[in-house]
């Protein structure tokens, strides 16, 4: 799923730490969950594209997605949906990945005092394949598809493409901006991606400013 792929991309396998700040990760993950809910048909945007709401209450098999959809209790703007869904989301996504044996966490201390976590990849093949698939698109070796386009758009929304992948920062940001325009997606998907991208960016900006 998109949020699991995104969480893996935020892990630096060499340092075993996260390569972006918590606010950016939390908001990007919430955007990924929203895209999954839209793709599943459970959530849709109103005709004017300004708000989204639950349109199909059929329970989802995935507990994380089901819990997330219950937080959209009324029509709301993408930013509000992101801010509601992101609560405890990072820990829940990590728990899902750990439960499937994809990764594990170990306690560590910063400066020998402050508690933190190390993130260790167990399924290195899946991790490497994911990074290659998305990295090839970021560096322009191939075009975006639904999966890679969505992931890069979310990374771009929180200004983290250059934190996740090595390379020329300016070139990667330009490439990511072009991908975020959604030319890889149909009209309906592109509108949803654009709206959710805007919501993620706004939620991240609000978190930084302390609003």
């Amino acid at each position: 799923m998109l949020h699991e792929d995104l969480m893996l991309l935020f892990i630096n396998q060499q340092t075993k730490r996260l390569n972006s700040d918590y606010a950016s990760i939390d908001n990007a993950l919430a955007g990924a969950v929203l895209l999954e809910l839209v793709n599943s048909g459970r959530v849709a945007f109103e005709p004017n594209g300004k708000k989204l709401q639950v349109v199909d209450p059929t329970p989802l098999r995935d507990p994380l997605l089901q819990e997330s959809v219950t937080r959209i209790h009324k029509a709301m703007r993408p930013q509000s949906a992101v801010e509601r869904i992101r609560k405890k989301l990072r820990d829940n996504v990590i728990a899902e990945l750990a439960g499937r044996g994809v990764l594990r966490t170990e306690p560590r201390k910063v400066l020998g005092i402050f508690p933190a976590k190390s993130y260790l990849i167990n399924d290195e093949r899946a991790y490497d394949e994911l990074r290659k698939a998305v990295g090839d698109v970021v560096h322009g070796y191939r075009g975006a598809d639904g999966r890679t386009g969505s992931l890069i758009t979310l990374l771009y929304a929180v200004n983290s493409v250059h934190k996740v992948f090595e390379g020329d920062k300016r070139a990667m940001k330009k490439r990511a901006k072009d991908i975020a325009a959604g030319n890889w997606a149909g009209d309906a998907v592109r509108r949803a991606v654009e709206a959710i991208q805007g919501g993620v960016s706004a939620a991240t900006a609000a978190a930084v400013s302390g609003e």
Side-chain angles (χ1 to χ4, degrees), residues 148-199:
T148 58
S150 296
L151 292 169
I152 292 168
T153 296
L154 291 165
L155 289 174
Y156 176 75
V158 295
N159 193 31
S160 291
V161 175
H162 65 285
K163 298 177 182 178
V164 171
F165 295 100
E166 294 183 356
D168 184 280
K169 179 178 177 180
R170 181 176 296 181
M172 287 193 296
K173 290 184 72 172
K174 183 180 185 303
R175 173 72 173 160
K177 181 179 180 180
D178 292 340
I179 292 169
N183 294 328
W184 44 272
D187 288 343
V189 174
R190 183 170 64 250
R191 287 195 296 270
V193 170
E194 287 177 348
I196 291 172
Q197 176 196 349

Side-chain angles (χ1 to χ4, degrees), residues 8-19 119 127:
L8 289 175
L9 290 175
F10 277 123
I11 295 174
N12 185 313
Q13 191 176 23
Q14 279 68 50
T15 65
K16 299 177 176 56
R17 300 179 184 182
L18 301 180
N19 49 24
Y119 303 86
Y127 177 83

Side-chain angles (χ1 to χ4, degrees), residues 107-159:
R108 65 180 176 87
K109 288 188 177 181
V110 178
L111 301 177
I113 301 175
F114 305 105
K117 292 179 181 179
S118 292
Y119 303 86
L120 296 88
I121 302 298
N122 291 332
D123 192 342
E124 293 186 4
R125 179 178 178 180
Y127 177 83
D128 291 341
E129 288 178 349
L130 170 65
R131 286 193 60 83
K132 185 178 188 313
V134 181
D136 282 353
V137 179
V138 167
H139 294 112
Y141 300 142
R142 66 184 182 90
D145 55 22
R147 180 195 187 199
T148 58
S150 296
L151 292 169
I152 292 168
T153 296
L154 291 165
L155 289 174
Y156 176 75
V158 295
N159 193 31

